Amino acid sequence: MKIATYNVWNSNIGLREEQLIQEINNIDADIIGLQEMPPLFFKYLKEHIIYDYNVYFKYKGQEEGLAFLSKYPINSSDFLYEKPEFNNSLALNMVIEINGIRYSVTNVHLPYNSAIEKEKQIVSIDKYIHSQKDMVDFSILLGDFNCSENSSVHNYLLGNQSLLGYEAKPYWNDLASVHAALNGYKIIPTLDFINNPRWGGKNTNYIPDSCDRILILEPYSWDNEFILKSVGIFGKNVSLKTGFAPSDHYGLFSEVEFKK
């Protein structure tokens, strides 16, 4: 399965719609989670993509939301933003089935301006996903986490620390980190404050970071396993017409083989 995540940058700067559509089609993922998706662009996007199935929810009072595109039927979806019992978290879940294997896939866009709120939301999202234990075979978590690899949120997901009295059990596997470590290279940042034209080469304050991630929950059953094949980024090309990359983030994809 090819899995992708992409923050499309909700901004009129550069009028980048055609660039984004080209990147989304070219990556040819089986499933892709999209963040910062404006409703009008999503309506236009659906008319120009190769995906047969999709789901989209908009945040109340805002002109953006979260979306999934899928080559496979979506059995169910849940917008955690509308669920007080899960802290109204900025997350969208869908359940799909491929060749008899059931997947829970959760798309997140954690708040950028509050570490406390990020911690509250990731604990709630993790609890929600664990509540699906008996419904699915594998759980996938992807999106823009708006935090660094050294953050409490990331360490919580990896099982390195607790948050608010909770721990991620079983823990999560960050695919980009695993692939980089096993293949001897440094992770390429998805939020590149140096080379992405969004910042015009004028950044003097911010460190490039890999805040866009794809994680897989350690399987509950010993009979289930996943094999990581590849990890890469997309959306780096700068248009001569607009002078911008498709987004201020680069997209991230991973190819994984699942066995049950």
Side-chain angles (χ1 to χ4, degrees):
M1 181 194 295
K2 192 173 189 180
I3 308 161
T5 179
Y6 201 13
N7 182 324
V8 301
W9 188 21
N10 181 17
S11 169
N12 290 326
I13 294 176
L15 299 175
R16 300 158 288 103
E17 290 89 349
E18 299 305 322
Q19 289 176 263
L20 287 166
I21 290 170
Q22 183 177 18
E23 289 292 340
I24 290 168
N25 281 333
N26 285 349
I27 199 62
D28 194 27
D30 292 290
I31 54 173
I32 181 168
L34 304 170
Q35 305 89 43
E36 290 195 32
M37 174 60 70
L40 290 178
F41 178 46
F42 187 70
K43 182 178 179 181
Y44 179 72
L45 177 72
K46 289 192 296 182
E47 300 171 356
H48 297 86
I49 51 176
I50 60 176
Y51 298 88
D52 292 328
Y53 307 96
N54 61 80
V55 60
Y56 173 70
F57 284 92
K58 185 175 79 72
Y59 305 132
K60 185 177 180 180
Q62 300 184 44
E63 284 304 306
E64 67 175 61
L66 296 170
F68 274 118
L69 306 177
S70 173
K71 292 183 179 180
Y72 300 91
I74 298 171
N75 293 349
S76 64
S77 62
D78 224 350
F79 194 34
L80 273 63
Y81 179 74
E82 297 176 344
K83 292 183 173 293
E85 65 269 32
F86 293 106
N87 203 48
N88 300 107
S89 298
L90 306 180
L92 172 62
N93 175 268
M94 71 172 181
V95 175
I96 61 173
E97 184 172 333
I98 306 172
N99 298 326
I101 299 178
R102 298 163 299 170
Y103 302 88
S104 165
V105 192
T106 305
N107 179 10
V108 306
H109 188 198
L110 298 183
Y112 72 92
N113 57 354
S114 171
I116 292 174
E117 190 60 29
K118 276 195 279 271
E119 291 178 349
K120 290 179 180 178
Q121 291 197 20
I122 201 61
V123 168
S124 294
I125 293 165
D126 186 53
K127 288 168 66 176
Y128 172 86
I129 294 169
H130 280 76
S131 74
Q132 300 174 313
K133 175 181 177 180
D134 298 327
M135 297 169 46
V136 301
D137 301 301
F138 294 96
S139 296
I140 301 166
L141 179 62
L142 55 81
D144 178 2
F145 291 80
N146 266 318
C147 56
S148 73
E149 294 176 85
N150 299 318
S151 68
S152 58
V153 166
H154 195 56
N155 280 319
Y156 168 81
L157 291 171
L158 298 186
N160 294 331
Q161 74 169 78
S162 62
L163 282 180
L164 310 176
Y166 295 94
E167 61 180 336
K169 191 175 182 179
Y171 57 82
W172 293 84
N173 300 273
D174 175 32
L175 302 189
S177 296
V178 171
H179 195 263
L182 294 180
N183 292 277
Y185 67 89
K186 186 176 180 181
I187 294 176
I188 300 173
T190 57
L191 190 57
D192 188 349
F193 295 108
I194 297 174
N195 299 301
N196 194 308
R198 155 72 170 92
W199 289 275
K202 298 177 181 179
N203 168 52
T204 61
N205 301 315
Y206 304 115
I207 301 171
D209 202 357
S210 53
C211 59
D212 303 270
R213 302 188 184 100
I214 301 170
L215 302 99
I216 297 178
L217 187 68
E218 192 69 13
Y220 288 105
S221 170
W222 289 106
D223 295 327
N224 297 348
E225 67 171 325
F226 62 91
I227 302 168
L228 179 57
K229 299 290 189 177
S230 69
V231 171
I233 64 171
F234 61 97
K236 291 184 68 176
N237 292 330
V238 177
S239 167
L240 295 176
K241 181 179 178 181
T242 68
F244 287 91
S247 175
D248 59 344
H249 287 240
Y250 302 143
L252 177 71
F253 74 88
S254 181
E255 293 179 290
V256 184
E257 180 182 352
F258 293 91
K259 295 183 178 181
K260 178 184 173 183

